[in-house]
Amino acid sequence: MSSFHLNTALATWRRSLSTNRTFSADDLDELEQHLRDQIAALVQGGQSEKAAFEQAMAAMGEYGAVEREYEKVYWGKRRRQRLLSTELQERVSMLGSYLKVALRTLRKEKGYAFINVFGLAVGLTCFVLIGLFVHYEQSYDTFHEKADRTYRIVNEYPQAHSLGNTRSTDTPEPLADVLRETVPEVEQVVQLVKSHALLSVGDTQFYEDGIFTTGHLFDVFSFPLLQGDPRTALADPNAIVLTASLARKYFGDADPLGQTIMVYTLSSEDANDQQEMQVTGIVADVPANSHLSFNYLMPTAASRELAGWFDRWDSNSYFTYVALRPDYSLPAFEDKLARIAQDYLTQTEYYQSHPAAIGTYGTQLLTDIHLHSHLKNEFAANGDIQYVYLFAAIALLILGIACINYINLATARAATRAREVGVRKVMGAHRWQLIGQFMSEAVMPSLAALFLAMLLVPLLLPVFNTLTARAIPFDLAHNGGFLGVLLLVGLGTGVLAGSYPAFVMSAFQPAGIMKGTPSERSGKTWLRNGLVVAQFTLTMVLIIGTLVIQRQLHFVQNTQTGIDRDQIIVLDVEDRTLFDTRYETLKQTLINHPQVLAVTAAQEDPTNVDAASYATAWESAEAGQRILVNRSIIQHGFVDLFGLELVEGRDFSPDIPTDAREGMLINETLKHQLGWETAVGKWFNFHGREARITGVVKDFNFHSFHAPIEPLALFLDSGWWFPYQRVFVKVRPDAMTATLAFLEETMQSFSPSHPFTYHFLDDTYAQMYQTETRLGRLLNYFTFLALFIACLGLLGLAAFTTQQRTKEIGVRKVLGASVSQILLLLSRDVLWLILLALLMATPLAYLAMRYWLGDFAYHIELSPWIFLLTGISVLLIALATVSYQSLKAALADPVKSLRYE
Amino acid sequence: MISKALVAASLKPFILSILADGESYGYEIIQRVHDLTGGQVQWTTGTLYPLLHSLENKNLLESFWREADAGPRRKYYRLTAKGYKALATEKQQWLSIHEALLKLWGPSPTLSPA
């Protein structure tokens, strides 16, 4: 009896089970308590402890059966417990191992790691830059508090010889008061006119851009006044409000408020009449993403140019903006606008005699102006939603190309690790551990790429800003959503790249893999090839687009526009007294210089004639007929200097005095629209003169290539005040610096009170295609990057496939294959892929470019050469990329490749 | 003695039904079954506990340790909502078999040898 100790017996029993993993301490506690209960009951029934213990043990079940029963529920138990903290802990501890192995793999394959990380980083950087641009373009004018209910009034009026109405920003002055007083929806109205004036304080004098407006500006827009009272700042006709930076420019650190500034507006009746203005307020600098821009504000009442044109419904000179009440209804407001046009215009004398000219007023949301507005006389050149879409598409294309690379390389590399998967599985790795391993190997470089991109973006943003001519800020605090998207893209790419090895390979049966590497050439290659084709299709679309845009730009800038633009210096004449008496002397002085070939003057650059008015009476005109004719007032020598060709009649001559009064040159288009067989000698009433046609010039492009050539009339000045604003000087191409110095000196001596400003005609001409030029340049860069990334991927892939076929190449060489045969073998695959990509890219690019070219009235034809050239060059680049690897493999000593393993 | 197969089949409904009365622990469950069947049904410890654990894995039961004021610490089991549902199904199945057999055997409670 005494030899049996229950506790010892139980402890022994317990120890025998505790080595078995199926029994947790918790299970043993439970079982032991059961035994103790049972034994206690049996002892109470009169049995000895020893007998009770033996009976309880017997009730446990057959030897080994308990273990088996527990084993059955073991996995279920594990699974349940893992749901709790155990799983988390295991995962966290495994994460360290994943990262370590991932780092080792990356280090072992530095080349691939570099291609992966760098390619994706470049792609992401492009994506971010373009994303910022797209975001910025859409942010225009959104900083105004009432942006969602502020509208610009659009003047829509009919025009002869053109389809539909002309839509313009120009509206009449009395419209503001009518809107303010009779339309209940209107909260406030402001009108403004662009201004350009010489501002001087002491010796500091510059030409500045500003606007004439009223104090209502501050009620409609959120341009905060830093100093001064918005209610009274523009009340006095001698008041001027400066932007903070302009105030600093003129007054330094001194308090600008109350200071006087001399303003010389170009239209002053008396040339020496400067207006003395008093600074009444300082407005914050206008944000870069505003379609309105100004350096100063002056009251409309201060403008002498506008003075004669107040209160006239037939003079459209003002931009009109309305802030509507928060509960406005746009259709109701537009109805009222249309009624106002009807009611007031029909009461106007001019429209009573020209009822066909009566138009109507419409609206345009403030925030739509920058991207969606193409009205006549915009405040400044706007952006274009088409380009925003285009760039968004490019961003996605490049990101797509980079992601495809990443995925392709990662899956290709992972496939070589099938054996590793087998070994890991044999060693007891769970499937989810393998998934974790492959996932972390794929996600880690993608996060590294993301990080690299975030470093590159702030570095490249200034360059990008120069290219796009924008001032895009990089401000993470304001781009939080953007950062989220990026993180998602980075992670998404990693996960996508990792999912093939993670989910497909982790399911491999170890026995199958260990017997031999499953052939990589059969299974998944179609997917990878498909992705490569997609990649090169995208790249080729980009390349073709770039080529077409470049060629169109070249066409625009070098094709005969019918006008000679080279070596012509344009002097801006702001001093109107010059033409009163001194022009002929100036002309003689200039022409006497050996470098100067010819001199003339005109109202505007002949490459961009802006002024137009209606002609209503001419020989054999029908009643009520009218034609909108562009006009420029020119000086003698104009036709010669610009190399215009006369198809009929003669040029103006200083020897024929009647030319100044009634001479007129017209272009061929106008002649055709007038329906004349011959033009010379016929009378034509235009712009207040009864002209007799002197000659007809061959059509030349005096607008941008976007628009077809319109009617044009050229005539000499006959008392129209201040008609000339430009002196054109044709010079010899050499010794330009000396020539410019001479021109400056001469101009200074003729009008000493004005700064000398000039430009080259071909420069301003190029500026007309700035958007396209900029687009072209950006496209160049992005296309290059896209091609670069795609080739980077191809390089990696080629290296991979070549390596996979090392033995095959060895065997082929041993059997007598030549280097060129092997090169062909290895390049053939790529060849097919590129050809397929070209086949797919051609129609895509063709449609896209035909759409873009449709925007130009004069454009190049899409020749098959562009497509062929793209295909051949991409093919060559791709082959060159691949051949490095192929050559290496083909030249390798077969002994080495076959000895491998 | 009742056959092993039948005992095995009745394990689950027994456990669920007993726990439907209130929470309990392994030894007590065995005792109740023993008492209820007059010793006809004898479970081995080695089958009861794994079954309890497996029912717990399936979320029919939940377990917790209870410290008694007097006496040792025991692991108690009780039914979850899912367990109650399983019991209802189990009951229905047993009753339908029971009824079918009763119909075959006629109204007489005594079995006549065929």
Side-chain angles (χ1 to χ4, degrees):
Chain A
M1 281 281 279
S2 58
S3 64
F4 183 80
H5 293 286
L6 182 61
N7 284 342
T8 321
L10 281 172
T12 314
W13 159 82
R14 195 175 163 138
R15 200 175 312 123
S16 75
L17 293 184
S18 65
T19 52
N20 192 323
R21 67 168 185 182
T22 55
F23 295 97
S24 67
D26 192 73
D27 294 340
L28 292 175
D29 283 348
E30 188 183 29
L31 271 179
E32 185 180 334
Q33 190 51 48
H34 177 95
L35 289 171
R36 284 183 187 277
D37 284 340
Q38 203 176 4
I39 290 164
L42 289 169
V43 167
Q44 209 160 31
Q47 296 207 33
S48 71
E49 273 196 340
K50 187 164 184 263
F53 175 77
E54 276 158 7
Q55 198 180 332
M57 289 309 289
M60 192 78 86
E62 281 171 48
Y63 178 76
V66 186
E67 283 87 338
R68 271 202 303 284
E69 292 297 323
Y70 266 88
E71 179 78 30
K72 277 185 204 163
V73 295
Y74 171 73
W75 288 111
K77 229 185 278 183
R78 282 296 302 265
R79 209 174 298 131
R80 181 164 51 83
Q81 283 164 354
R82 260 213 314 279
L83 290 175
L84 307 171
S85 62
T86 337
E87 180 173 20
L88 254 174
Q89 281 169 11
E90 264 178 49
R91 291 261 158 130
V92 169
S93 65
M94 281 306 284
L95 200 64
S97 145
Y98 296 155
L99 293 183
K100 196 190 282 177
V101 175
L103 266 179
R104 275 186 204 153
T105 318
L106 289 179
R107 208 174 300 148
K108 203 170 75 190
E109 297 169 343
K110 283 196 198 75
Y112 295 100
F114 172 78
I115 290 177
N116 256 354
V117 173
F118 187 67
L120 190 61
V122 171
L124 283 172
T125 307
C126 291
F127 180 73
V128 176
L129 286 176
I130 297 177
L132 285 172
F133 171 75
V134 170
H135 180 76
Y136 182 80
E137 287 291 282
Q138 285 168 336
S139 75
Y140 267 70
D141 296 314
T142 50
F143 61 89
H144 295 295
E145 252 168 69
K146 299 171 187 167
D148 57 329
R149 51 191 171 97
T150 303
Y151 290 84
R152 183 163 75 178
I153 305 295
V154 179
N155 193 352
E156 300 176 28
Y157 49 87
Q159 215 175 74
H161 293 289
S162 75
L163 294 170
N165 286 352
T166 292
R167 303 183 78 230
S168 159
T169 59
D170 305 324
T171 48
E173 191 263 350
L175 180 63
D177 279 340
V178 171
L179 285 173
R180 203 175 289 132
E181 282 154 22
T182 66
V183 181
E185 280 92 347
V186 171
E187 187 178 290
Q188 195 47 271
V189 188
V190 65
Q191 287 191 320
L192 51 95
V193 176
K194 281 165 81 169
S195 155
H196 180 71
L198 182 68
L199 267 58
S200 57
V201 173
D203 288 341
T204 322
Q205 58 171 29
F206 299 97
Y207 285 110
E208 305 287 355
D209 290 310
I211 54 182
F212 288 113
T213 184
T214 57
H216 303 305
L217 180 88
F218 304 111
D219 298 325
V220 173
F221 297 114
S222 304
F223 292 123
L225 266 189
L226 305 175
Q227 276 177 280
D229 180 357
R231 251 181 293 273
T232 58
L234 291 173
D236 189 75
N238 287 323
I240 187 167
V241 172
L242 308 179
T243 59
S245 51
L246 198 74
R248 227 177 353 265
K249 183 166 159 189
Y250 282 89
F251 301 109
D253 292 331
D255 182 11
L257 223 57
Q259 301 264 25
T260 52
I261 193 161
M262 301 306 286
V263 175
Y264 175 83
T265 46
L266 309 179
S267 47
S268 303
E269 286 290 330
D270 180 350
N272 294 315
D273 179 22
Q274 301 200 352
Q275 286 167 273
E276 191 178 305
M277 309 295 264
Q278 197 167 36
V279 180
T280 51
I282 301 299
V283 66
D285 283 355
V286 180
N289 56 349
S290 165
H291 86 282
L292 289 174
S293 63
F294 54 82
N295 289 321
Y296 62 84
L297 302 168
M298 286 200 286
T300 316
S303 165
R304 297 182 185 180
E305 190 179 33
L306 294 169
W309 301 96
F310 288 136
D311 206 29
R312 290 187 60 157
W313 285 91
D314 56 348
S315 159
N316 296 312
S317 333
Y318 294 81
F319 293 91
T320 307
Y321 296 85
V322 289
L324 300 180
R325 296 193 187 282
D327 56 345
Y328 73 96
S329 143
L330 190 60
F333 175 65
E334 283 180 332
D335 279 353
K336 282 168 195 156
L337 267 177
R339 207 163 316 131
I340 288 172
Q342 269 305 312
D343 291 353
Y344 288 86
L345 295 184
T346 47
Q347 298 300 311
T348 310
E349 197 184 325
Y350 170 78
Y351 289 108
Q352 278 170 348
S353 57
H354 296 91
I358 293 179
T360 187
Y361 301 120
T363 61
Q364 187 176 44
L365 187 64
L366 176 66
T367 46
D368 280 350
I369 292 174
H370 178 66
L371 288 177
H372 300 273
S373 177
H374 297 286
L375 303 188
K376 201 171 159 68
N377 295 333
E378 289 284 355
F379 189 91
N382 283 332
D384 191 333
I385 190 72
Q386 303 282 2
Y387 290 133
V388 172
Y389 288 148
L390 183 70
F391 277 110
I394 292 173
L396 290 178
L397 284 187
I398 291 184
L399 188 68
I401 291 171
C403 288
I404 287 176
N405 250 356
Y406 189 83
I407 293 170
N408 262 352
L409 279 179
T411 52
R413 295 307 303 161
T416 60
R417 296 171 63 186
R419 249 179 243 186
E420 181 191 330
V421 171
V423 173
R424 278 172 180 272
K425 281 201 150 186
V426 167
M427 299 301 282
H430 280 289
R431 194 176 164 198
W432 58 264
Q433 285 174 324
L434 287 171
I435 292 174
Q437 180 61 52
F438 281 118
M439 276 295 178
S440 31
E441 273 177 41
V443 168
M444 219 168 69
S446 77
L447 288 183
L450 188 64
F451 182 72
L452 197 63
M454 295 322 278
L455 290 180
L456 282 172
V457 166
L459 279 176
L460 293 176
L461 195 59
V463 183
F464 185 71
N465 273 339
T466 317
L467 282 174
T468 53
R470 294 287 187 271
I472 305 167
F474 184 60
D475 186 357
L476 283 184
H478 285 95
N479 291 316
F482 200 63
L483 203 66
V485 170
L486 264 184
L487 206 64
L488 219 68
V489 169
L491 275 177
T493 310
V495 167
L496 223 60
S499 49
Y500 167 71
F503 293 105
V504 179
M505 288 178 51
S506 65
F508 283 171
Q509 289 299 315
I513 319 171
M514 302 300 279
K515 274 185 201 142
T517 319
S519 173
E520 233 310 298
R521 289 189 51 70
S522 52
K524 287 285 166 190
T525 43
W526 66 266
L527 177 71
R528 217 152 40 226
N529 287 342
L531 286 175
V532 170
V533 170
Q535 210 176 20
F536 274 89
T537 305
L538 299 183
T539 312
M540 281 196 247
V541 169
L542 271 179
I543 293 177
I544 294 169
T546 311
L547 284 178
V548 171
I549 290 177
Q550 297 301 340
R551 282 185 45 127
Q552 170 69 14
L553 284 179
H554 184 81
F555 169 77
V556 164
Q557 276 161 14
N558 296 287
T559 310
Q560 285 299 324
T561 51
I563 195 160
D564 186 359
R565 300 185 301 272
D566 297 329
Q567 278 99 49
I568 293 173
I569 297 172
V570 185
L571 309 176
D572 302 315
V573 179
E574 316 274 13
D575 177 7
R576 63 178 289 271
T577 64
L578 183 72
F579 284 98
D580 292 348
T581 49
R582 286 167 288 156
Y583 172 70
E584 283 306 322
T585 333
L586 173 72
K587 184 175 176 178
Q588 279 315 312
T589 315
L590 293 175
I591 209 112
N592 284 341
H593 191 270
Q595 292 292 334
V596 175
L597 296 170
V599 177
T600 189
Q603 202 174 9
E604 290 176 289
D605 286 1
T607 48
N608 194 16
V609 174
D610 231 8
S613 44
Y614 282 104
T616 51
W618 58 86
E619 200 164 319
S620 70
E622 289 161 31
Q625 211 184 347
R626 60 194 197 116
I627 290 186
L628 188 74
V629 182
N630 295 275
R631 59 179 151 84
S632 188
I633 302 172
I634 61 170
Q635 266 289 354
H636 291 290
F638 185 90
V639 170
D640 286 341
L641 189 137
F642 290 109
L644 301 184
E645 209 177 301
L646 278 165
V647 291
E648 201 189 322
R650 57 166 179 88
D651 187 11
F652 299 131
S653 163
D655 303 330
I656 304 173
T658 50
D659 276 359
R661 206 174 55 246
E662 55 172 45
M664 186 169 288
L665 292 170
I666 60 171
N667 70 352
E668 289 174 299
T669 303
L670 179 55
K671 182 179 140 185
H672 292 142
Q673 289 201 0
L674 291 170
W676 288 344
E677 284 294 317
T678 54
V680 174
K682 292 211 164 75
W683 64 271
F684 184 68
N685 264 11
F686 182 58
H687 204 64
R689 60 165 54 204
E690 282 195 30
R692 294 245 165 219
I693 303 300
T694 318
V696 179
V697 294
K698 201 168 173 347
D699 273 345
F700 64 94
N701 245 297
F702 57 87
H703 270 156
S704 107
F705 267 66
H706 287 290
I709 293 174
E710 292 172 358
L712 174 74
L714 304 169
F715 43 89
L716 298 167
D717 171 44
S718 61
W720 180 257
W721 60 275
F722 198 54
Y724 301 113
Q725 297 176 4
R726 306 259 198 273
V727 170
F728 301 93
V729 185
K730 173 110 180 164
V731 297
R732 290 182 202 283
D734 51 324
M736 199 60 93
T737 331
T739 313
L740 279 173
F742 160 72
L743 289 177
E744 175 163 13
E745 195 188 319
T746 313
M747 287 306 284
Q748 285 296 336
S749 69
F750 273 82
S751 39
S753 59
H754 291 78
F756 172 71
T757 54
Y758 72 96
H759 61 263
F760 287 93
L761 190 60
D762 46 0
D763 284 351
T764 23
Y765 180 74
Q767 270 168 24
M768 285 163 52
Y769 302 96
Q770 225 176 16
T771 324
E772 283 81 10
T773 316
R774 228 178 262 148
L775 173 76
R777 211 176 308 147
L778 272 176
L779 260 182
N780 276 353
Y781 289 116
F782 286 125
T783 306
F784 171 76
L785 281 177
L787 186 64
F788 174 73
I789 299 174
C791 282
L792 210 61
L794 202 61
L795 180 74
L797 219 53
F800 166 74
T801 44
T802 314
Q803 188 191 326
Q804 287 258 306
R805 300 170 75 173
T806 308
K807 263 191 215 172
E808 181 195 330
I809 294 165
V811 171
R812 281 176 187 273
K813 282 195 86 172
V814 168
L815 291 177
S818 70
V819 173
S820 57
Q821 277 170 325
I822 287 172
L823 266 181
L824 189 69
L825 175 83
L826 288 173
S827 312
R828 208 170 40 195
D829 293 350
V830 177
L831 200 91
W832 282 118
L833 295 184
I834 302 287
L835 283 180
L836 199 61
L838 180 65
L839 217 62
M840 288 170 56
T842 304
L844 280 176
Y846 178 77
L847 290 176
M849 287 339 285
R850 211 180 52 174
Y851 177 73
W852 184 75
L853 286 175
D855 199 30
F856 287 87
Y858 303 92
H859 60 77
I860 55 164
E861 289 306 312
L862 282 171
S863 80
W865 277 109
I866 293 179
F867 299 92
L868 226 63
L869 190 75
T870 306
I872 292 171
S873 45
V874 170
L875 192 68
L876 287 179
I877 294 172
L879 282 180
T881 311
V882 174
S883 64
Y884 167 71
Q885 288 294 334
S886 312
L887 204 66
K888 216 165 70 175
L891 291 174
D893 187 348
V895 173
K896 276 186 192 145
S897 57
L898 292 176
R899 202 182 51 191
Y900 166 77
E901 210 171 279
Chain B
M1 283 289 276
I2 293 172
S3 78
K4 229 178 164 176
L6 195 54
V7 170
S10 65
L11 267 166
K12 189 176 169 189
F14 266 123
I15 292 174
L16 293 177
S17 310
I18 289 168
L19 289 177
D21 276 354
E23 53 197 42
S24 183
Y25 55 97
Y27 180 68
E28 198 176 60
I29 293 170
I30 287 192
Q31 282 309 116
R32 288 230 21 215
V33 173
H34 185 268
D35 294 349
L36 282 166
T37 60
Q40 291 250 44
V41 173
Q42 288 274 356
W43 290 350
T44 58
T45 321
T47 33
L48 173 72
Y49 286 100
L51 185 63
L52 282 172
H53 296 165
S54 114
L55 291 178
E56 189 183 4
N57 289 345
K58 290 173 190 155
N59 288 324
L60 300 183
L61 313 179
E62 53 191 8
S63 68
F64 54 97
W65 286 92
R66 174 176 287 173
E67 309 269 357
D69 291 338
R73 185 171 160 266
R74 288 199 179 83
K75 193 174 185 181
Y76 277 76
Y77 295 86
R78 66 172 164 232
L79 283 189
T80 61
K82 209 175 159 193
Y84 279 103
K85 249 180 246 166
L87 174 61
T89 321
E90 204 66 38
K91 214 171 182 174
Q92 195 206 328
Q93 287 173 359
W94 278 91
L95 283 179
S96 55
I97 285 177
H98 177 72
E99 276 162 24
L101 288 173
L102 278 186
K103 275 180 207 154
L104 284 174
W105 297 329
S108 161
T110 48
L111 297 176
S112 53

